[in-house]
Amino acid sequence: MEAALAAPGWLWVVDPIDGTTNFVAGQPMSAVSIGVAFGGELRAGVIFEPFRQELFSAVLGKGARLNGSPISVSVRAASLAEAVIASGAPPNPRSAAPCFRAMTCLAPPRTRTLRILGSAAINFAWVACGRLDAWFEPDLSPWDSAAGALIVREAGGRVTDC
């Protein structure tokens, strides 16, 4: 993502329908995601989930919010066995195989439960507000992660690319 954000000046990173497959199938689990960078650094992000009327937002150095109220990542799971973890299901077979292997390794009883929601933006938002303890997915594009990465960081979480 850093390479994509490296443009000089202002850069808007927009995903008009994150969770497109959910949206097309009539499943109420999609969102609009907008990240704003300046000089290669994420400065603001918003994720709007229209089915629940939830607006997740963050401004660099100002914290993260849900409908205007401050949010923070979960601290409820004292161990991996207590964690609610989500994963993506990438359509690329090269990425899907290791992702599904990871899901097998994290399946209960190693974790409390494992979920696949179908929207990177919602996964980021739910980690930020504590509904999920963790989430992983390979091969995300900048429009999948720009807003969500900032929201999670501003909510006290950590975002890695491994």
Side-chain angles (χ1 to χ4, degrees):
M1 180 169 58
E2 289 77 21
L5 298 178
W10 291 99
L11 176 67
W12 292 74
V13 185
V14 179
D15 190 346
I17 304 177
D18 184 77
T20 309
T21 301
N22 288 349
F23 182 80
V24 170
Q27 299 173 6
M29 190 69 72
S30 57
V32 177
S33 178
I34 303 171
V36 181
F38 182 77
E41 182 176 36
L42 285 169
R43 301 292 178 100
V46 295
I47 294 171
F48 180 63
E49 200 277 275
F51 302 101
R52 288 178 193 74
Q53 292 292 299
E54 291 184 327
L55 179 66
F56 298 85
S57 61
V59 173
L60 183 64
K62 306 273 187 191
R65 299 186 174 280
L66 168 54
N67 291 339
S69 298
I71 56 174
S72 64
V73 295
S74 172
V75 294
R76 77 173 160 259
S79 69
L80 184 61
E82 297 173 13
V84 176
I85 298 177
S87 173
N92 178 342
R94 193 181 89 246
S95 301
C99 190
F100 292 133
R101 280 194 302 275
M103 284 187 240
T104 301
C105 291
L106 290 169
R110 290 185 180 104
T111 61
R112 180 172 174 210
T113 190
L114 189 60
R115 300 282 186 238
I116 299 175
L117 303 179
S119 167
I122 291 174
N123 283 320
F124 274 117
W126 284 17
V127 167
C129 74
R131 293 178 189 161
L132 294 171
D133 297 300
W135 165 63
F136 66 95
E137 182 168 358
D139 290 346
L140 292 176
S141 296
W143 53 85
D144 293 318
S145 57
L150 180 65
I151 293 169
V152 167
R153 287 182 187 122
E154 288 294 317
R158 186 171 68 175
V159 178
T160 62
D161 184 10
C162 50

